[in-house]
Amino acid sequence: IDVIQKSLKVFDKIVVAATNTKNKNYLFSIDTRIEIIKKSLFSDLKLNKKKILVIPFNTLTINLCKKYNASVIVRGLRAASDFEYEFQMVGMNRALDSSIETVFLMAEARHQAIASKLVKEIARMDGDVSKFVTPRVKDQLMLKLGKV
């Protein structure tokens, strides 16, 4: 959300794309994640629907950019350790299509330690996750974990 809000200061319109790659263990299905993202952005945070398109995707990011005529990929960084992986991704994307740029936006310091794995663990152990997620995410997470 932090990166989305910062992106809206730079770009007139953004595409928020959630992937369903098999190398991650998602708690929610792609359809549920898309719905949670939309409700978090548009209901909880009241962001402008005309400026944000939320979509699922299962293709190369470069192909997604071409489909939506996007010339910039915005990636969020929480810590220096994120940069090495992201740097490799930039190199691969640039090899696939050198016309598409990548911009990195740093998360605010108060958000840098937040990781979905840790948020899920806090929720599983009956901790309060409301500092880390929107109300919509909290509700869905607690429901999914059987904590409601």
Side-chain angles (χ1 to χ4, degrees), residues 123-136:
R124 282 187 185 105
M125 299 180 86
D126 298 322
D128 182 11
V129 297
S130 58
K131 291 181 188 177
F132 312 115
V133 298
T134 66
R136 188 71 50 166

Side-chain angles (χ1 to χ4, degrees), residues 71-123:
S71 60
V72 177
I73 299 168
V74 177
R75 302 287 296 187
L77 296 174
R78 291 177 296 174
S81 57
D82 290 345
F83 184 75
E84 188 170 330
Y85 170 77
E86 295 295 343
F87 184 74
Q88 291 175 336
M89 290 296 294
V90 169
M92 295 303 289
N93 286 337
R94 188 134 308 139
L96 293 170
D97 188 334
S98 62
S99 70
I100 298 174
E101 292 295 332
T102 300
V103 173
F104 296 107
L105 296 176
M106 289 298 300
E108 292 294 325
R110 69 183 186 274
H111 298 135
Q112 289 177 358
I114 300 172
S116 63
K117 180 179 178 181
L118 298 175
V119 172
K120 288 184 266 190
E121 187 173 337
I122 291 167

Side-chain angles (χ1 to χ4, degrees), residues 5 42-43 54 59 61 117 125 127:
Q5 290 173 320
F42 306 130
S43 297
V54 180
T59 185
T61 305
K117 180 179 178 181
M125 299 180 86

